[in-house]
Amino acid sequence: MQNKKKKLTKLLVFLGIFVLGFVLVGCNGHKNKNSKVRSKGKATSKKATKMKVYVDVNEKNNWESEGKKFTQYDFSIHNDENIDIANWEINLKKKDLKLEQNWNVNIEAKLDQYCLKPTNYNKVVSSKGVQQDIGIIFSTLSDEKVDVSFIEVTFSDGKNVIIRGLGNKNDSDKESGKDDSDNKTEKSAANKTEKKQIITNQGKATVPTGRLHVQGTKLVDSTGKVVQLKGVSTHGIAWFPDYINPDALKTLKEDWNANVFRIAMYTNEYGGYCNGGDKEKLKKLVEDGVKYATDNGMYVIIDWHILSDSNPNTNKGEAIKFFDEMSKKYKDNENVLYEICNEPQNSDWNSVIKPYASDVVKTIRANDQNAVILVGTNTWSQDVDQVIGNQLEDKNVMYVLHFYAGTHHDNIRNKLTKAISSGVPVFVSECSITDASGNGAIDYDSANKWLKLLNENDISFIAWSLSNKDESSALIKPSCSKKSGWTDDDLSETGKWFKKAISGK
C-alpha cells in the first residue's frame, strides 16, 4: 500500500512538471510571436525584403612588380528596383590588400574594411539603371582577391537597406533597420576603434624606368610608380628636320632634365606625309628621333600630326598603314608611345574620333600589346570631357588635351579637372604659354595656373615647339641658328619658362 502511494506521488509530480513546462513554453511562444529568430548569431527578419540590387566586380588587368601582385578591378552597381538609389556604399574585406589607386569613388580605410563611397556625380543609380566605371587598383603579396562584405543603399524615399555580399538580381538581404544588427555593430565598433584614413596614391618615380602603362588616371613605370613625363615637341619635321640630332636630345636630357621627346609629323599640310611629302625621308627622321631619344634614356612619342585635315578619317588609310609599320618596327622598344590624331576639329567624339581610334588602336595592338597610345579629342584636343563614360575598351590609352595659356583659361582647366575626376587618363601632348595662334603675348598668370594643375595631378606635358621659328611659342630665338647646346641666352622667353618648368629648377 505504501509503495502504491509513492508511485502515485511520483506520477502526480511528473504530471505537474509537464503541465507547468507546457504553460511556460506556450507563454514564451506567445510573448515572442513577433520577435526576431536568431541563427548562428545573425539577425534575420521573418518577413524578408527581396531587393534587386547587386554589384559586379571584374578583374581588368593583372601584373607583377617587385614581388607584389597588382590587380585593376572595375565595379558596377546595378539597380533593378522600381525606385532610384539616392546613395550607396560598398564595404570590402581589407585582408592584406593595399590600395594603390582609385577613380570615380572615394575610399576610407577602417579597422578591417575598405569603405567605398560615391563622388558627388555618381551617387544616384537610376531605377533599372547601372552606375559603372568605378575603378580600383589593389596590390598584394599573396593571392588575395577582392571580397565584398556588404552593400548599403539608400533609396530616394529614404529607405535604407543592407545587402550581404554582392547581392544578385533575384535576391538580397533584409532591411537594415530590421535585420542587420550584426553588421551595424561591426561598423560602429570599427568607427569607434579606428579613425578614418583617406588613402593616398603610391610613390612617384623621379627617374621613370621600363615600359609605361596606364593605371586609372595615372601613367606608371615598370616599378609601379607614378610617372610624369615632361619634355618638348619638334615643330613639323618636314620644315625643321635639323633639330632631330643626337646632340639636341642630349642637351634636352642633360640641361633641361626632359624625359620625353615628341616627333610631330604633319599629315595634310604641304610637304606633309599625305600631301606631297617624301614619305621615306619623313619616316627616316622619325626613326632617327626614336634612336636618339633611346640613346639618351628618354621616352619618345610618334605623332600623327593632323591639323588641316580636321577629321581623322580624312587620311585614315594612310594612318593605319603608317602605324602598322611603326608598331612592327618598335614593338620591342619599351620607350615608344603612339599619338594617333593630333588635333581633330569638327569631329564628334562618339561618331567620328572614337571609331577611327578603335581601328588604329586595333592595328597597333596586332603588333604591340603594351605601348601607351594617345588619342586626340575634338576642337583642337580641348574637349577631353567628351570622353567621360565613353572611353575606348583598351585600358592602355590616354586622352589628349592641348592648351595655350594666353587663350585657354579656367574653361579648359575645368574640362581637364572634370575628366580626371571622372576617371579619364589625360596626357597634355602639346602646350604653350602664348595664345592659341602660337604667337602673341605670354600669359604668365595663366601659365603658372596650368603648371600647378598639371603637377598636382601628375599630368604629363610637352612644350611646343623645338624650333627657331619667328613666333613667340618657338623655344629658340629666331636669331639663334644652333641646333643643340643652347644657353639661356639662346632661348626665347617661352623657352626659358619651359626649361624651368621641365627641369624643376
Side-chain angles (χ1 to χ4, degrees):
M1 184 70 177
Q2 190 174 4
N3 289 335
K4 288 183 179 181
K5 286 183 179 181
K6 287 182 179 180
K7 289 181 180 180
L8 181 60
T9 301
K10 288 180 179 180
L11 179 60
L12 290 173
V13 170
F14 176 79
L15 289 173
I17 292 172
F18 178 80
V19 172
L20 179 61
F22 181 83
V23 171
L24 289 174
V25 169
C27 292
N28 188 58
H30 176 76
K31 179 181 178 181
N32 290 287
K33 184 176 181 179
N34 296 314
S35 67
K36 296 173 183 177
V37 178
R38 290 190 174 271
S39 174
K40 296 183 181 179
K42 297 290 184 182
T44 58
S45 171
K46 292 180 70 176
K47 188 177 181 180
T49 304
K50 302 291 185 181
M51 306 303 303
K52 296 180 181 179
V53 175
Y54 63 102
V55 169
D56 277 335
V57 183
N58 295 309
E59 293 185 27
K60 292 304 233 182
N61 288 311
N62 304 89
W63 65 95
E64 292 188 22
S65 178
E66 296 185 335
K68 292 194 293 185
K69 299 177 182 179
F70 294 81
T71 303
Q72 176 184 332
Y73 294 92
D74 281 2
F75 291 74
S76 59
I77 304 170
H78 298 255
N79 177 21
D80 290 346
E81 288 292 307
N82 293 318
I83 185 172
D84 292 351
I85 292 174
N87 205 350
W88 52 266
E89 178 178 315
I90 303 171
N91 282 263
L92 311 177
K93 296 176 182 178
K94 186 182 289 186
K95 300 188 275 191
D96 79 335
L97 297 173
K98 180 184 177 184
L99 179 63
E100 299 288 351
Q101 194 177 345
N102 54 278
W103 55 98
N104 291 341
V105 67
N106 297 314
I107 301 183
E108 296 174 351
K110 297 182 179 180
L111 185 64
D112 59 353
Q113 293 179 329
Y114 286 120
C115 181
L116 282 56
K117 295 185 178 182
T119 63
N120 289 331
Y121 52 81
N122 64 0
K123 286 183 178 180
V124 175
V125 187
S126 301
S127 170
K128 310 298 181 183
V130 58
Q131 190 63 259
Q132 52 190 359
D133 296 322
I134 299 162
I136 306 176
I137 295 172
F138 285 109
S139 67
T140 177
L141 295 173
S142 61
D143 293 317
E144 293 283 10
K145 299 294 183 182
V146 159
D147 188 1
V148 176
S149 298
F150 62 93
I151 312 158
E152 184 171 358
V153 297
T154 301
F155 290 96
S156 56
D157 63 357
K159 183 179 179 181
N160 183 249
V161 174
I162 287 181
I163 304 164
R164 294 190 184 94
L166 293 168
N168 58 62
K169 291 183 180 181
N170 302 311
D171 196 9
S172 74
D173 263 328
K174 292 62 178 178
E175 294 179 45
S176 61
K178 295 181 180 180
D179 62 357
D180 212 299
S181 59
D182 285 355
N183 272 331
K184 285 201 166 185
T185 301
E186 291 170 7
K187 290 173 69 181
S188 177
N191 288 335
K192 289 179 181 178
T193 57
E194 173 123 351
K195 185 177 180 180
K196 292 180 181 179
Q197 178 186 3
I198 302 299
I199 303 301
T200 57
N201 290 322
Q202 67 268 45
K204 185 173 177 179
T206 53
V207 181
T209 58
R211 190 180 289 277
L212 306 178
H213 60 274
V214 181
Q215 282 187 12
T217 61
K218 304 290 186 180
L219 194 61
V220 302
D221 68 4
S222 58
T223 69
K225 291 187 176 180
V226 174
V227 170
Q228 184 183 21
L229 296 182
K230 302 178 184 180
V232 304
S233 174
T234 67
H235 202 295
I237 59 175
W239 312 310
F240 294 91
D242 293 340
Y243 289 92
I244 297 182
N245 68 78
D247 290 334
L249 273 292
K250 184 177 180 181
T251 300
L252 292 171
K253 176 65 181 293
E254 295 183 355
D255 295 352
W256 293 51
N257 200 31
N259 56 16
V260 63
F261 183 65
R262 181 183 187 235
I263 306 169
M265 188 185 72
Y266 278 83
T267 54
N268 213 51
E269 276 58 40
Y270 179 75
Y273 192 83
C274 302
N275 190 13
D278 185 332
K279 292 183 179 180
E280 294 307 314
K281 182 179 178 180
L282 291 170
K283 285 190 287 189
K284 179 63 166 58
L285 284 168
V286 171
E287 293 168 9
D288 289 345
V290 172
K291 180 182 186 304
Y292 303 147
T294 304
D295 290 344
N296 283 279
M298 299 170 68
Y299 293 92
V300 59
I301 298 171
I302 299 175
D303 167 34
W304 184 257
H305 202 89
I306 72 166
L307 186 62
S308 64
D309 17 1
S310 301
N311 186 325
N313 290 305
T314 301
N315 293 301
K316 179 179 175 180
E318 291 285 3
I320 287 176
K321 287 190 290 185
F322 175 79
F323 283 109
D324 181 47
E325 183 177 349
M326 291 295 112
S327 58
K328 283 178 180 175
K329 183 182 293 291
Y330 296 116
K331 62 183 179 180
D332 296 323
N333 285 56
E334 295 185 343
N335 64 325
V336 175
L337 295 78
Y338 302 100
E339 184 171 1
I340 64 175
C341 52
N342 168 62
E343 289 185 351
Q345 310 121 53
N346 302 312
S347 299
D348 175 68
W349 167 256
N350 191 56
S351 62
V352 178
I353 302 174
K354 186 178 180 182
Y356 162 86
S358 296
D359 288 342
V360 177
V361 169
K362 187 184 300 182
T363 298
I364 294 172
R365 290 292 180 243
N367 304 313
D368 187 341
Q369 292 291 319
N370 302 306
V372 172
I373 299 173
L374 309 179
V375 181
T377 55
N378 196 21
T379 317
W380 296 277
S381 285
Q382 294 167 35
D383 297 338
V384 72
D385 55 322
Q386 291 184 357
V387 179
I388 296 172
N390 197 13
Q391 296 170 223
L392 294 164
E393 290 297 321
D394 194 294
K395 295 298 182 180
N396 222 20
V397 166
M398 303 191 83
Y399 301 88
V400 169
L401 181 138
H402 290 174
F403 72 83
Y404 283 73
T407 300
H408 305 131
H409 300 108
D410 286 343
N411 57 328
I412 307 299
R413 284 190 284 269
N414 289 340
K415 289 187 176 187
L416 173 58
T417 301
K418 182 179 180 182
I420 289 293
S421 64
S422 300
V424 176
V426 177
F427 195 112
V428 175
S429 64
E430 180 180 315
C431 61
S432 188
I433 60 177
T434 66
D435 65 24
S437 71
N439 211 348
I442 293 171
D443 188 335
Y444 287 106
D445 179 62
S446 178
N448 290 330
K449 288 180 180 177
W450 272 109
L451 184 61
K452 183 174 184 290
L453 178 62
L454 297 175
N455 288 339
E456 286 178 345
N457 291 278
D458 302 314
I459 297 172
S460 300
F461 66 90
I462 297 177
W464 180 268
S465 69
L466 185 63
S467 72
N468 64 347
K469 187 178 180 181
D470 190 11
E471 61 182 16
S472 54
S473 62
L475 302 175
I476 313 299
K477 286 181 178 178
S479 59
C480 177
S481 60
K482 293 161 64 174
K483 299 302 185 289
S484 63
W486 309 283
T487 66
D488 286 356
D489 290 338
D490 298 322
L491 303 180
S492 67
E493 293 305 308
T494 299
K496 293 175 185 176
W497 189 91
F498 270 114
K499 181 181 178 182
K500 184 177 180 180
I502 292 168
S503 66
K505 300 176 182 178

